[in-house]
Amino acid sequence: MKAFSAPGKALIAGGYLVLDKQFASYVVALSSRMHAVVEGAHTAPEESNTVITVKSPQFLEGEWSFVFDHSSETFTVSEVLGRKNPFVEYSILTMLKFINPQFASKIDITIFSDSGYHSQENVTVKKSQSKQFAYHTAKITDVPKTGLGSSAGLVTVLTTALYSFYISSADVTEKQHLESIHKLAQVAHCQAQGKVGSGFDVAAATFGSIVYRRFDPSLINELKSGVNKSEDSQQIQDLVKQDWNIRNDRVALPSGIRLIMGDVKGGSNTPKLVQKVLKWRAEDPESSEIYSDLNTNNMKLVDSLSEITKAEQDDHFSYAESLKQIGNLNTYEILKSTNASIKPFQDLIKATLEIRKNLQIITQRSGAEIEPPQQTQLLDRCNEIKGVLSSVVPGAGGHDAISLLIEANALENLVQAKKEDTIFDKVEWLDLTEQEYGIIIENVDSYKEFL
Ligand SMILES: Nc1ncnc2c1ncn2[C@@H]1O[C@H](COP(=O)(O)OP(=O)(O)OP(=O)(O)O)[C@@H](O)[C@H]1O
Ligand SMILES: C[C@@](O)(CCOP(=O)(O)O)CC(=O)O
């Protein structure tokens, strides 16, 4: 038995631009993780079916069982309980094609999902010493999502579990294996979704917090069903060997800086927002200039974070002093300061404000509510709180969530602000922190009470 987990994400810079492979984005992996516990064995030589059962016990009817008949001429699986879960199905199918197993196996995988992914109404929480999971009374398709990328987390961790079963000697946290798992999970996720997105969510689930630049969509779009199994398998193996030329530079927030997510209990339809933005992008002659300015400031934000990290490495003492100062000032006051040591923090703030200005322009021109006026008001108000460095609408924006970078001790100021100002009535500060790593190997024992 082995166990793994993969994190959720927030795209704090690069929404929409990340769809285009000339632009990079900044993705933070979050502490809400998807977990998989896997156990399996090869079955008797006369057995011709591989049976892979995936249980997700926190949800009603959360069990899917797929049978792969080795004697069949194509890679097809049938679900025997009469249920659908395309993300589970394509994770299995992609791995079967990649491995082209010659022996039948029985594999049992149990999925556990941390509470950040789903709305926590009507749940019963079960706890062990080191883990806790929320049990819902509805099916996975009926529980409202929060936007952390549950399907990407699921596909990534399921792919990892299957990969480690079939290639049992692999240390899945090694670069070469992580890269293979990433490609297999991207293929499965795109095929299950029926579209090739930017893939930043699968990349963060695999690699953790990164500066990400996407792969060429044609890599996945050009996959075709071959005439036989060996052709299908060869195609996936070749694809995994190929260099996808993505950017996945590992990043971590500077010490003393925390990411805070605020759920605004709204909800937005990402595909509709994307549709409106792409239409505007194609029609407005000034859209290239706006994208270019947005990109310049996204990269300034990335640079300012590295500058802040460097400042800490250069001189711990004066860094601690700068942190203390910014913890006592709000965004606007930090901008006014003449103290040279806080310049990288000022650069971060300036870049964020420019990013927001461009997102507001796109909102007005495209009609896609990326940073609608209610969110502008809320973000501006956040910037008045001491210790807040930047506040943005992450990802596709809209009415899903806000994300803030703050001086780590300023969380209490946010909690206090929520008590004092009704603008924060709809905001819930979430208990999430940044995660440096994507896929990690977990201790199996910590799940035993839940199995
Ligand atoms: N814990 C889980 N167990 C089983 N299947 C899951 C689980 N979490 C997610 N899924 C699968 O992923 C689907 C949700 O994926 P969908 O693409 O609709 O949302 P998403 O983009 O991942 O959402 P969000 O980014 O808002 O978290 C579910 O319907 C289910 O098929
Ligand atoms: C708009 C887009 O760039 C970001 C969507 O982010 P999210 O699903 O809102 O976290 C789309 C994408 O990259 O898939």
Side-chain angles (χ1 to χ4, degrees):
M1 203 183 263
K2 295 179 191 173
F4 307 94
S5 72
K9 53 71 192 167
L11 183 67
I12 58 171
Y16 304 96
L17 271 67
V18 68
L19 290 163
D20 189 329
K21 75 178 185 343
Q22 63 172 306
F23 302 118
S25 63
Y26 191 92
V27 202
V28 174
L30 296 174
S31 52
S32 220
R33 287 179 164 266
M34 199 67 74
H35 309 249
V37 181
V38 55
E39 190 174 24
H42 293 316
T43 38
E46 64 277 10
E47 184 56 66
S48 73
N49 284 345
T50 283
V51 181
I52 304 178
T53 302
V54 176
K55 290 186 189 160
S56 188
Q58 292 160 271
F59 300 91
L60 189 67
E61 295 180 15
E63 181 169 337
W64 303 267
S65 193
F66 290 91
V67 174
F68 169 58
D69 179 354
H70 288 251
S71 62
S72 126
E73 311 236 305
T74 54
F75 283 105
T76 42
V77 289
S78 45
E79 205 288 323
V80 294
L81 302 170
R83 295 179 189 151
K84 272 203 158 344
N85 189 328
F87 293 96
V88 172
E89 180 176 342
Y90 278 97
S91 303
I92 292 173
L93 210 49
T94 309
M95 190 57 68
L96 288 174
K97 287 182 185 173
F98 176 63
I99 300 290
N100 195 5
Q102 301 305 309
F103 299 97
S105 302
K106 182 179 177 312
I107 308 172
D108 292 298
I109 298 175
T110 309
I111 299 292
F112 295 102
S113 143
D114 285 340
S115 49
Y117 288 102
H118 292 99
S119 144
Q120 293 298 294
E121 262 144 41
N122 303 322
V123 295
T124 309
V125 177
K126 290 192 196 167
K127 291 183 184 176
S128 73
Q129 246 178 359
S130 59
K131 298 257 182 292
Q132 65 173 59
F133 297 112
Y135 287 70
H136 299 256
T137 50
K139 293 188 210 168
I140 178 72
T141 42
D142 294 334
V143 177
K145 293 167 290 176
T146 56
L148 298 196
S150 58
S151 60
L154 173 85
V155 167
T156 305
V157 81
L158 202 49
T159 301
T160 308
L162 291 166
Y163 189 94
S164 85
F165 169 76
Y166 281 113
I167 311 175
S168 58
S169 60
D171 172 353
V172 297
T173 60
E174 270 175 14
K175 187 170 183 284
Q176 151 214 0
H177 296 301
L178 275 183
E179 285 180 355
S180 300
I181 290 169
H182 168 252
K183 290 169 187 164
L184 293 164
Q186 289 287 11
V187 170
H189 196 252
C190 291
Q191 293 187 336
Q193 280 195 126
K195 71 169 191 340
V196 183
S198 71
F200 78 91
D201 44 4
V202 174
T206 312
F207 301 113
S209 296
I210 48 174
V211 171
Y212 175 71
R213 197 191 55 231
R214 70 163 306 156
F215 52 88
D216 192 325
S218 67
L219 284 166
I220 293 178
N221 277 330
E222 280 166 14
L223 279 175
K224 292 180 205 69
S225 279
V227 287
N228 57 39
K229 283 204 299 207
S230 76
E231 244 180 56
D232 262 356
S233 183
Q234 194 60 53
Q235 212 184 160
I236 296 284
Q237 286 173 11
D238 290 345
L239 187 60
V240 168
K241 272 189 216 125
Q242 216 171 316
D243 179 1
W244 285 23
N245 196 23
I246 66 161
R247 180 168 170 196
N248 59 339
D249 302 342
R250 181 160 272 156
V251 284
L253 290 175
S255 64
I257 304 293
R258 242 195 100 163
L259 175 88
I260 299 287
M261 298 291 290
D263 180 13
V264 294
K265 302 189 190 109
S268 289
N269 183 328
T270 303
K272 275 205 186 124
L273 293 172
V274 172
Q275 203 182 8
K276 285 185 182 168
V277 173
L278 294 183
K279 184 169 181 289
W280 161 79
R281 169 90 173 104
E283 289 170 358
D284 185 343
E286 283 170 26
S287 69
S288 294
E289 208 179 303
I290 295 166
Y291 259 44
S292 160
D293 194 48
L294 196 43
N295 181 54
T296 303
N297 285 291
N298 286 340
M299 294 306 104
K300 278 190 185 165
L301 178 120
V302 171
D303 291 344
S304 67
L305 287 168
S306 350
E307 280 302 311
I308 296 173
T309 302
K310 194 170 160 292
E312 195 218 348
Q313 287 160 354
D314 290 350
D315 186 345
H316 289 287
F317 181 73
S318 93
Y319 181 73
E321 281 302 305
S322 308
L323 272 184
K324 214 190 265 171
Q325 268 194 45
I326 61 160
N328 286 318
L329 301 173
N330 71 30
T331 305
Y332 308 110
E333 291 164 341
I334 298 171
L335 277 182
K336 282 191 206 135
S337 168
T338 50
N339 186 333
S341 72
I342 64 173
K343 177 168 180 304
F345 297 100
Q346 293 175 324
D347 291 343
L348 168 75
I349 295 172
K350 284 184 200 155
T352 306
L353 293 177
E354 284 301 311
I355 291 169
R356 284 187 52 203
K357 203 169 87 192
N358 281 300
L359 291 179
Q360 288 161 9
I361 296 174
I362 301 178
T363 301
Q364 281 157 10
R365 296 202 183 179
S366 70
E369 292 199 319
I370 304 168
E371 195 192 298
Q374 303 93 305
Q375 293 285 62
T376 298
Q377 251 185 351
L378 181 61
L379 298 177
D380 288 348
R381 178 66 187 89
C382 289
N383 286 345
E384 289 168 7
I385 300 172
K386 291 196 189 307
V388 172
L389 283 166
S390 90
S391 41
V392 293
V393 282
H399 301 274
D400 284 339
I402 55 173
S403 72
L404 274 49
L405 292 179
I406 65 166
E407 188 276 317
N409 296 315
L411 179 57
E412 58 193 65
N413 302 344
L414 297 182
V415 173
Q416 191 56 30
K418 181 165 161 62
K419 287 186 191 147
E420 290 168 1
D421 190 336
T422 53
I423 195 170
F424 294 111
D425 282 356
K426 61 178 177 192
V427 184
E428 193 190 335
W429 305 119
L430 301 176
D431 183 19
L432 291 169
T433 49
E434 179 207 27
Q435 299 275 287
E436 189 175 347
Y437 294 104
I439 294 165
I440 55 175
I441 301 169
E442 296 270 5
N443 178 356
V444 167
D445 292 338
S446 59
Y447 300 90
K448 291 214 163 131
E449 288 177 46
F450 300 97
L451 292 171

